[in-house]
Amino acid sequence: HNGVRYVLTNAHVVEGAVSIRVTAKTGKELPAKIVGTDGLLDLAVVAIGDSLDVPAVRLGNSDLLEIGDWVIAIGNPLGLSHTVTLGIVSALGRDVPRPDGTGYYRRMIQTDAAINPGNSGGPLVDAFGQVVGMNTIIARSTGSGVVVEGINFAVPINEIVRALFQIAAH
């Protein structure tokens, strides 16, 4: 609204940033600023000017997800832009320890869609092309040093939307 578009990403993606730019698929770089964050959801709301270079996405309803549903993770893993991976919802409502030891991410979507460093803040999309979550964290083993691969977590979009309205309003 008011000539502004909101871009959603993880708070840890923009934490400590001196400046932020949103790069459109066309390669055009748009200056952006942080509107607000929600530490519990690892959510950052970033504002850019209204631009046709950055299309809007359709939001789904994460409450309707079921175990076994197909999902697509979109991101920029390891600097490889426009990467898409496919998987299923393997669990819902997971509480996942935060990497910094400050508690848990709550009610996460667990998926086996490949998520790697650089996917953080990207959308998790259902089979209808609607965003149902935000890719956030890769499961890592804490004991033997063995990395557990193939288990990844996303924040449900319904929780993000509730926070977005609060952040945008205040």
Side-chain angles (χ1 to χ4, degrees), residues 21-165:
R21 294 181 317 279
V22 172
T23 304
K25 188 175 180 180
T26 61
K28 183 176 180 180
E29 292 188 354
L30 305 162
K33 66 175 188 157
I34 297 174
V35 175
T37 61
D38 182 315
L40 292 176
L41 296 177
D42 193 13
L43 170 66
V45 179
V46 176
I48 60 172
D50 197 3
S51 173
L52 296 177
D53 293 300
V54 181
V57 295
R58 289 192 344 238
L59 302 182
N61 182 346
S62 53
D63 290 343
L64 298 179
L65 280 175
E66 296 181 359
I67 294 171
D69 284 351
W70 289 98
V71 287
I72 300 163
I74 303 172
N76 188 35
L78 311 173
L80 302 169
S81 59
H82 313 301
T83 297
V84 177
T85 60
L86 178 67
I88 63 165
V89 172
S90 48
L92 293 164
R94 282 274 196 243
D95 291 343
V96 182
R98 292 176 177 271
D100 63 6
T102 61
Y104 291 82
Y105 292 113
R106 302 284 181 193
R107 298 175 297 283
M108 300 290 278
I109 300 165
Q110 181 179 315
T111 178
D112 66 351
I115 296 174
N116 293 289
N119 274 105
S120 292
L124 186 70
V125 180
D126 67 13
F128 303 101
Q130 297 176 333
V131 178
V132 292
M134 180 185 301
N135 305 322
T136 301
I137 189 169
I138 304 164
R140 298 269 182 205
S141 171
T142 54
S144 63
V146 175
V147 176
V148 176
E149 295 184 2
I151 302 174
N152 305 293
F153 298 94
V155 178
I157 197 65
N158 291 16
E159 297 203 20
I160 290 169
V161 168
R162 282 191 286 276
L164 169 62
F165 287 122

